[in-house]
């Protein structure tokens, strides 16, 4: 009896027990025991897959033998259902039961034994084939249900019963067929065999019917459970989506505000309000009502509001609260009040009101993913209010709103709205005329604090403060200053702070100073400034700069930031010196009680956050001092916005220009060091400050010097690290909104809506030509490298541009890794009138060190037609040099259109060439002086070839070592565009850099645009596919089929010595096309056992012959989109390829299959992958091809690599490399030049990017010249074995964060908006300045 293994379910144990019984009861001399059971006893992984491959090979050999004997034909076709059924059944057993490998061995081994035994009985053989075909069909039912009903114990039990029926039949059939022919008549075999089959078939039929009945019952129950769970999940997801819609990426949590306000609540103050008759009537009313508490500045309105809120919350009452704030760019907006209230009301409701759902869906359908319309926000609040039985709603600081009239208008509508429950409104503000009028209009009761109540609270406060801080005990003074406060807490607080800082020595001096202290807030503030004028001139200037910077700062400065900014603004040495940093104690002294040193919340004890103490102080400092009657010596302390921006901008520029930032260094380490305290702020906001000033040529020159220095790249490194939104994409959406993106595909439909952040003052382009060159240069850099800049800041040293760009912004060379090189094929020899210009090959130029020979193919338009032209260039340290041998040709009489292909079978253009129009699938044979008839699509395929097509992939064949560059065949995989699909070309030259490709293949390429759709077609949509083969003088061959839209990529292989092409577009099937006759045959293609081919996955199948043609390599790439990104599988199989006596073909596996999985963020784009085949290795570049590309290497099997053995695993680079963003859109090609010295060079070739004025326009210009990026690497040291635990997920996916939060960065306050200058992706001259949530 089988011993249950740990973690084995009872069904797996049942199969183990069944197998053990067979082993025990079977005659050890029987063929079944020797051929099947012994194999099941073997150990090791992959036994099932190995047996399946053995069975496939046996079936093919059996068919060959039968054909030689003129017996049963097409055994392969007859047994294909059995192979497919067994494969699915075995997978079902593995998924649901976790059966041991021996179970699969018995399945496959039994088939092989029965076929082997019955081939001696001709009539019996046909019966066995029919039986096996039917078994295959019967087992298909498990394929349909195994995945869906894994938890079903009943289905698992049926699997076990079916397994027993099949194995028992194999066992009994083998016994019957192994009897000696001399002793047994044929009828004595066929009849009992048929009887045994009837028993087995009846059992399998019963199992099939039970599976279907069980599936129906299980489906009904599971559907009910799914419906309940899905409904619950849908509600939760919908609730979260609506929360996100309302929040609009803002932090709207008011709990911290309430806690902070209650910390300032003193003793039993504010208790008078709870005894106020109007407040009590409001609180006890059984109907909707409203109340307005108004008081002058500094009377403690916010503290009182928080006290009421906390009191109600302690009693279990429902509340919704909003605190408006003049100093907060988010909380001063009216819509923020509505969002905040709506969010809190949502938490108080069990379900989402239908009206809110309709409003959300309407916004979503119109691509508004944030609640931006205040009128819709009012409707949302109104809908939530109707669904809450009783709620108290508080709106504090109506006067601090940036647009108070708008807010009052929205609140008026809510006050008039009908409610189903009870709503208690509580407003607080200064007693301003507009607010009072609004309150009176809606009959809102007004409460003004009785003076005696306020004085009573202030008296307690003053007495405690004087005793604790001034050590002054004088009841008369307390009484006097209580009355002098006139009920103003703010004045009282400032007075005590001033008195505390006067250095008074006795009570008499305190009494005298108290008598001199001015009344009213303005007088109090003047007194604080007057104190500064008594200090030395240097202290006064320092105080002026302190007030200027704190008032003008984009976000509150920390003490350390301010100190470093002050040191930089003073001018002096060109590098940082700690001796120039003002002391923290002096800064605090000079802050003159007008600035709060916040050592709680976001600040800390050693490095507090500096804020203006009150809105009235900010209003005071920003006024014209002459209107206040201020003395002349006080004027210097008042602040204008332009003065503050200039002061902060100059300080930031000086700081960033320190000598220490003119060299490459570890920015991540610097950002945490106290001696670089102002670095984050200066780098993030310098351009914003200087954007708001009155510019001048002198300021322009300062900025130009900075941008052209290496210090500018230190600044960019900091920006990438702490403020990645400065290098993000901003895509325009409807109604003037923008969507913030790290990156994304750029189709022709959306390209005009894409903008890029360019963190420079926007007025620079007013200074021609240098200012425009700098703006255009940085725009080009951000557009090409934005995915790296905003997501991989440590890879800035790989963001290389061409030499022409370096002349505009030359400081980058200090930062660029010596490992990376960039070469642009642009110069006098490259004419801008090319309609396309493609790199065809790159080789090392051995005549000159560190140089490359580049072959390009271009098309020049003329009135007489088009001129295909070859260019050969040398790229080296001296730049771009034309080489002899560039070959212009005579005009060809055709009209070139985007996506067309021109190619010939000879490098010499004197002979014929071909023009292929992929839109119509027409192939034209061309002569320089004439045009041959168009090659028609053969019958009966003309109807299939109708419509509009595009090229998906291209395969070529030739010899890489042949300087003539001959190629004997070209193949195109085309996809019909009859469905709505992205029509950008997605083809790429799969043979670039391979040992069987033409060295100077003149097959032209696309204009560089790649299909960048995310393959989001519906799975039930299908399109027509076509393979076109062109082989020398042979007639073109067309092969059509129907398949899923955008979900297959077919790359064929051409046999090196015979006119054959192998390819595959479906599972388990290899197509072999005879290029001479056009005949196509099929044979079994053993798919990797550990790879599941899904009908909804995107699949690329690529083949490669060895130089002898005896071995065939099969690269399978599968990609599917998940919630997180792209899940990819790469598998490499190797086979011996041979023909049979009956003109068939046989594949026999020669080496172990290698498979890896990889998941990354993003969406599926074309090209899917890039490949390069060398004589020894296969190199693969996995997506994303627009940033951190995963490079793989796999040593080819020993038969293909000069006797060297294959590695056990895929390998990957130790250090990542990064491709530019335009890679996918410029027909990329991968090549690796393997050198003997141990250093290899990886090359990425990018074709020219040609832009047309419109789809139908002939006007064009070159946006980007053909380019080559290269990375030098050690053949040994720079590679490591693939590690699934570390490599199966990309770095970005492992650290996946909310995109909005990630791009906002770690430095800009999470509760504030950020500002960013943007420029159009199509035209950098179109600009805008955004304020983003």
């Amino acid at each position: 009896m089988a011993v249950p293994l740990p973690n084995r379910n009872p069904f797996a144990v049942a199969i183990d027990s069944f197998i053990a019984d067979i082993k025990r009861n079977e005659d050890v001399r029987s063929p079944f025991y020797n051929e099947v059971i012994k194999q099941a006893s073997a150990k090791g992984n992959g036994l099932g897959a190995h047996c399946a491959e053995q069975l496939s090979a046996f079936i093919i050999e059996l068919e060959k033998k039968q054909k030689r004997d003129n017996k049963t034909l097409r055994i392969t076709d007859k047994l294909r259902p059995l192979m497919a059924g067994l494969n699915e059944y075995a997978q079902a057993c593995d998924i649901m039961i976790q059966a041991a490998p021996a179970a699969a061995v018995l399945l496959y081994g039994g088939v092989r034994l029965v076929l082997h035994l019955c081939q001696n009985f001709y009539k019996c053989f046909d019966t066995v084939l029919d039986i096996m075909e039917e078994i295959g069909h019967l087992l298909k039912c498990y394929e349909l249900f195994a995945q869906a009903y894994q938890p079903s114990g009943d289905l698992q039990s049926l699997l076990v019963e079916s397994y027993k029926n099949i194995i028992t039949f194999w066992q009994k059939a083998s016994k019957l067929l192994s009897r000696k022919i001399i002793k047994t008549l044929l009828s004595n075999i066929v009849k009992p065999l048929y009887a045994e089959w009837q028993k087995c078939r009846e059992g399998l039929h019963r199992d099939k019917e039970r599976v279907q009945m069980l599936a129906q019952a299980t489906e009904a129950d599971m559907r009910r459970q799914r419906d309940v769970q899905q409904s619950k999940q849908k509600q939760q997801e919908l609730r979260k989506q609506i929360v996100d819609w309302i929040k609009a990426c803002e932090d709207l949590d008011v709990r911290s505000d309430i806690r902070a306000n209650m910390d300032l609540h003193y003793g039993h103050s504010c208790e008078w309000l709870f005894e106020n008759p109007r407040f009590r009537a409001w609180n006890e009313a059984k109907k909707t009502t409203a109340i307005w508490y108004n008081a002058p500045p500094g009377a403690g309105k916010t503290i009182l509001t928080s006290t009421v809120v906390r009191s109600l919350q302690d009693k279990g009452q429902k509340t919704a609260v909003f605190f408006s704030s003049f100093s907060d760019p988010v909380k001063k907006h009216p819509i923020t009040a509505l969002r905040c209230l709506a969010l809190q009301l949502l938490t108080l409701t069990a379900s989402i009101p239908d009206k809110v759902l309709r409003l959300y869906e309407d916004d979503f359908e119109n691509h508004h993913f944030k609640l931006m319309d205040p009128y819709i926000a009012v409707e949302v609040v109104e809908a939530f209010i109707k669904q809450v039985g009783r709620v108290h709603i508080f709106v504090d600081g109506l006067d601090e709103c940036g647009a108070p009239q708008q807010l009052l208008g929205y609140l008026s509508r809510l006050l008039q709205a009908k409610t189903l429950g009870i709503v208690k409104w509580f407003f607080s503000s200064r007693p301003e005329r507009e607010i009072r009028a609004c309150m009176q209009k809606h009959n809102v009761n007004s409460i003004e604090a009785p003076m005696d109540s306020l004085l009573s609270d202030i008296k307690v406060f003053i007495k405690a403060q004087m005793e604790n801080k001034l050590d002054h005990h004088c009841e008369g003074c307390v009484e006097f200053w209580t009355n002098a406060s006139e009920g103003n807490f703010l004045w009282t607080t400032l007075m005590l702070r001033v008195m505390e800082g006067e250095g008074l020595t006795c009570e008499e001096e305190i009494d005298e100073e108290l008598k001199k202290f001015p009344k009213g807030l303005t007088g109090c503030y003047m007194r604080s400034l007057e104190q500064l004028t008594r200090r030395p001139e240097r202290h006064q200037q320092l105080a002026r700069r302190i007030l200027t910077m704190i008032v003008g700062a984009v976000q509150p400065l920390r003490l350390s930031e301010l100190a470093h900014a002050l040191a930089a603004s003073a001018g002096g040495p060109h590098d940082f010196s700690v001796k120039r940093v003002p002391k923290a104690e002096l800064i605090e002294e000079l802050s003159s009680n007008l600035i709060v040193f916040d050592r709680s919340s976001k600040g800390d004890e050693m490095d507090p956050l500096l804020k203006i103490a009150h809105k009235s102080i900010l209003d005071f400092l920003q006024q014209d001092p002459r209107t206040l009657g201020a003395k002349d010596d006080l004027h210097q302390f008042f602040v204008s916005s332009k003065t503050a921006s200039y002061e902060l901008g100059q300080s930031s520029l000086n700081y960033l220009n320190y000598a220490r930032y003119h060299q490459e260094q570890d920015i991540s380490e610097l950002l945490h060091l106290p001696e670089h305290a102002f670095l984050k702020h200066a780098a993030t906001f310098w351009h914003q400050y200087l954007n708001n000033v009155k510019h001048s040529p002198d300021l322009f020159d300062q900025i130009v010097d900075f941008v052209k220095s290496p210090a500018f790249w230190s600044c960019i490194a900091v920006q990438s690290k702490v403020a990645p939104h400065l290098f993000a994409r901003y895509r325009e959406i409807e109604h003037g909104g923008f969507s913030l993106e790290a990156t994304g595909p750029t189709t022709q439909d959306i390209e005009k809506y894409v903008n890029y952040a360019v963190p420079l003052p926007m007025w620079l382009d007013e200074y021609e030509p240098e200012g425009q060159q700098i703006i255009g240069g940085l725009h080009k850099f951000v557009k090409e490298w934005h995915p790296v800049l905003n997501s991989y800041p440590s890879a800035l040293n790989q963001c290389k541009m061409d030499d022409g760009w370096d002349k505009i912004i030359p400081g980058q060379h200090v930062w660029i890794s010596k490992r990376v090189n960039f070469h642009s094929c642009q110069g006098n020899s490259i004419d801008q009138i090319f309609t396309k210009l493609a790199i065809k090959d790159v080789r090392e130029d051995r005549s000159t060190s560190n140089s490359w020979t580049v072959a390009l193919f271009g098309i020049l338009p003329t009135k007489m037609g088009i001129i295909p032209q070859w260019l050969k260039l040398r790229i080296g340290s001296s730049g771009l040099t034309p080489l002899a041998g560039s070959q212009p040709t005579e005009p060809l009489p055709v009209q070139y259109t985007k996506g067309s292909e021109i190619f010939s079978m000879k490098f010499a253009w004197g002979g014929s060439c071909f023009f292929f129009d992929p839109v119509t699938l027409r192939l034209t044979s061309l002569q320089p002086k004439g045009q041959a008839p168009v090659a028609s699509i053969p019958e009966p395929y003309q109807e299939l070839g109708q419509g509009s097509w595009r090229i998906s992939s291209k395969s070529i064949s030739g010899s890489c070592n042949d300087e003539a560059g001959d190629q004997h065949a070209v193949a195109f995989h085309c996809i019909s565009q009859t469905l709505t699909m992205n029509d950008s070309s997605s083809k790429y030259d799969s043979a670039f850099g391979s040992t069987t490709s033409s060295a100077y293949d003149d097959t032209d390429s696309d204009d560089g645009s790649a299909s960048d759709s995310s393959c989001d077609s519906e799975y039930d949509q299908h399109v027509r596919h076509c393979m076109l083969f062109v082989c020398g003088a042979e007639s073109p061959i067309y092969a059509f089929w129907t398949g899923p839209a955008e979900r297959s990529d077919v790359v064929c292989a051409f046999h090196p010595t015979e006119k054959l092409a192998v390819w595959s577009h479906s599972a388990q099937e290899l197509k072999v096309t005879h290029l001479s006759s056009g005949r196509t045959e099929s044979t079994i293609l053993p798919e990797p056992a550990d790879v599941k081919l899904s009908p909804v996955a995107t699949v690329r199948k690529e083949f490669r012959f060895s130089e002898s043609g005896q071995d065939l390599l099969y690269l399978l790439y599968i990609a599917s989109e998940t919630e997180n990104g792209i899940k990819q599988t790469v598998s490499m199989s190797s086979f011996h390829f041979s023909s049979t006596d009956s003109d068939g073909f046989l594949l026999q596996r020669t080496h172990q299959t290698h498979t890896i999985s990889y998941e990354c963020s993003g969406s599926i784009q074309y090209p899917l992958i890039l490949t390069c085949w060398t004589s020894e290795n296969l190199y693969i570049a996995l997506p994303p091809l627009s940033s951190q590309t995963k490079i793989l290497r796999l040593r080819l099997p020993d038969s293909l690599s000069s006797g060297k053995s294959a590695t056990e695993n895929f390998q990957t680079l130790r250090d990542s490399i990064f491709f530019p963003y335009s890679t996918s859109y410029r027909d990329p090609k991968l090549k690796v030049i393997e050198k003997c010295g141990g250093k290899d060079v990886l090359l990425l070739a990018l074709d020219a990017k040609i832009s047309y004025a419109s789809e139908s326009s002939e006007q064009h210009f070159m946006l980007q010249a053909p380019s080559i990026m290269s990375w030098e690497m050690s053949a040994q040291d720079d590679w490591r074995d693939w590690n699934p635990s570390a490599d199966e997920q990309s770095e970005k996916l492992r650290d996946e964060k909310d995109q909005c939060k990630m791009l906002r960065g770690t430095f800009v306050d999470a509760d504030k908006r950020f500002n960013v200058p943007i420029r159009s992706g199509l035209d950098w001259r179109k600009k805008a300045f955004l304020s983003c949530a």
Side-chain angles (χ1 to χ4, degrees), residues 410-525:
Y410 305 145
L411 294 175
S412 295
R413 178 173 169 179
L414 292 172
L415 287 169
Q416 294 173 333
K418 294 182 179 180
T419 60
L420 302 179
I422 298 174
V423 181
K424 303 294 187 69
W425 291 95
F426 186 102
F427 306 106
S428 66
S429 72
R430 300 180 189 181
E432 295 182 353
R433 182 177 57 83
E434 295 84 358
I435 299 176
R436 185 178 297 278
C438 178
M439 297 299 159
Q440 290 175 347
K441 178 181 177 181
H442 296 288
N443 298 318
V444 176
N445 286 325
S446 173
I447 294 181
E448 296 180 6
M451 185 57 66
D452 58 343
S453 299
L454 288 177
L455 293 177
S456 175
D457 288 344
I458 289 176
K459 181 178 181 179
V460 175
F461 175 68
I462 291 177
K463 183 178 180 180
Q465 294 295 311
M466 289 185 117
E467 291 178 354
N468 295 334
K469 295 190 176 181
L470 296 177
D471 194 23
H472 185 62
H473 305 270
C474 175
E475 289 295 331
C477 293
V478 172
E479 194 68 34
F480 176 81
W481 289 110
T482 299
N483 294 327
S485 71
E486 298 179 348
N488 195 304
F489 272 97
L490 178 60
W491 180 89
T492 303
T493 302
L494 292 174
M495 179 270 293
L496 291 170
R497 288 178 182 171
V498 170
M499 299 303 296
E500 185 182 355
E502 289 288 343
L504 304 176
T505 60
C506 62
E507 292 192 7
E508 185 179 47
E509 291 179 358
I510 294 175
D511 290 340
E512 291 177 1
E513 287 297 325
L514 288 174
K515 291 176 182 178
K516 293 187 228 179
F517 201 84
K519 293 186 178 181
L521 289 176
T522 298
C524 182
Y525 301 153

Side-chain angles (χ1 to χ4, degrees), residues 125 589 693 816 1080 1083 1234:
F125 187 77
E589 286 179 24
V693 305
I816 289 299
T1080 297
T1083 188
E1234 298 174 333

Side-chain angles (χ1 to χ4, degrees), residues 265-519:
H265 178 247
Y266 197 83
H268 298 285
S269 61
C270 304
E271 290 188 354
W272 62 267
L273 179 65
F274 297 100
E275 301 301 324
N276 184 283
R278 290 189 176 183
F279 178 84
R280 292 181 63 179
W282 171 82
N283 193 30
E284 296 171 3
K286 303 299 182 182
K287 63 179 182 178
T288 295
T289 184
I291 199 167
W292 173 45
Y293 173 64
N294 60 89
K301 297 180 291 297
T302 300
I303 305 300
L304 181 139
T305 301
S306 298
T307 302
V308 177
V309 172
R310 178 57 59 84
S311 174
L312 292 171
Q313 289 178 343
D314 290 344
K315 294 177 182 178
Q317 297 290 335
K318 296 178 179 179
T319 62
V321 191
F322 177 72
F323 298 97
S324 186
S325 172
F326 78 97
S327 60
D328 192 307
V330 175
K331 293 180 181 177
K332 71 180 182 181
H333 284 288
I335 194 171
T336 306
L338 300 172
R339 286 184 186 138
C340 189
L341 296 177
L343 197 63
Q344 295 173 72
L345 292 169
L346 173 59
T347 64
L348 302 177
T349 60
S351 60
I352 300 168
D354 292 340
K355 186 172 184 179
V356 174
L357 184 58
R358 288 196 300 272
L359 292 170
Y360 164 72
E361 290 175 344
D362 184 63
D363 252 14
F364 190 86
E365 288 173 0
N366 288 281
H367 309 291
H368 288 183
F369 307 116
K370 298 177 183 177
L371 181 54
M372 305 296 292
D373 189 332
Y375 294 100
I376 295 177
V378 169
E379 292 188 66
V380 171
V381 174
E382 184 179 343
F384 280 127
I385 287 175
K386 290 181 179 179
Q387 199 147 313
V388 181
R390 179 186 174 113
V391 64
H392 297 76
I393 301 178
F394 296 80
V395 182
D396 174 68
L398 297 177
D399 54 298
E400 296 199 32
C401 177
Q405 287 297 330
Q406 292 182 19
L407 179 59
L408 289 173
Y410 305 145
L411 294 175
S412 295
R413 178 173 169 179
L414 292 172
L415 287 169
Q416 294 173 333
K418 294 182 179 180
T419 60
L420 302 179
I422 298 174
V423 181
K424 303 294 187 69
W425 291 95
F426 186 102
F427 306 106
S428 66
S429 72
R430 300 180 189 181
E432 295 182 353
R433 182 177 57 83
E434 295 84 358
I435 299 176
R436 185 178 297 278
C438 178
M439 297 299 159
Q440 290 175 347
K441 178 181 177 181
H442 296 288
N443 298 318
V444 176
N445 286 325
S446 173
I447 294 181
E448 296 180 6
M451 185 57 66
D452 58 343
S453 299
L454 288 177
L455 293 177
S456 175
D457 288 344
I458 289 176
K459 181 178 181 179
V460 175
F461 175 68
I462 291 177
K463 183 178 180 180
Q465 294 295 311
M466 289 185 117
E467 291 178 354
N468 295 334
K469 295 190 176 181
L470 296 177
D471 194 23
H472 185 62
H473 305 270
C474 175
E475 289 295 331
C477 293
V478 172
E479 194 68 34
F480 176 81
W481 289 110
T482 299
N483 294 327
S485 71
E486 298 179 348
N488 195 304
F489 272 97
L490 178 60
W491 180 89
T492 303
T493 302
L494 292 174
M495 179 270 293
L496 291 170
R497 288 178 182 171
V498 170
M499 299 303 296
E500 185 182 355
E502 289 288 343
L504 304 176
T505 60
C506 62
E507 292 192 7
E508 185 179 47
E509 291 179 358
I510 294 175
D511 290 340
E512 291 177 1
E513 287 297 325
L514 288 174
K515 291 176 182 178
K516 293 187 228 179
F517 201 84
K519 293 186 178 181

Side-chain angles (χ1 to χ4, degrees), residues 799-873:
C799 300
K800 186 75 171 70
M801 300 292 283
D802 59 79
D803 293 339
W805 184 91
D806 285 341
K807 294 176 182 177
I808 298 173
I809 307 180
Q812 192 193 19
H813 67 277
V814 174
W815 280 83
I816 289 299
S817 168
K818 293 180 174 56
R819 181 190 186 194
V820 184
N821 287 291
F822 187 97
H823 306 283
S824 177
C825 302
Q826 189 167 14
N828 295 331
S829 58
I830 303 296
D831 199 318
Q832 292 284 359
I833 66 172
F834 279 102
T835 59
K836 69 184 312 166
L837 191 57
I839 296 177
K840 288 303 159 185
D841 195 44
V842 181
R843 296 189 176 200
E844 184 181 14
D845 189 345
R846 300 185 182 275
S847 64
T848 308
S849 61
N850 297 321
S851 63
W852 307 92
T853 300
V854 183
L856 299 100
F857 175 76
I859 294 178
L860 299 174
T862 68
K863 294 181 179 179
M864 303 295 294
I866 60 174
I867 301 179
Q869 185 172 16
W870 273 102
L871 301 171
K872 293 177 69 176
L873 308 174

Side-chain angles (χ1 to χ4, degrees), residues 1122 1124-1128 1158-1163 1182-1184 1288-1290 1293:
T1122 65
N1124 298 323
I1126 315 171
K1127 187 173 183 180
Q1128 308 168 70
Y1158 181 62
E1159 190 172 4
C1160 66
S1161 58
S1163 57
L1182 294 180
E1288 285 193 343
Q1289 276 193 328
S1290 68
L1293 194 61

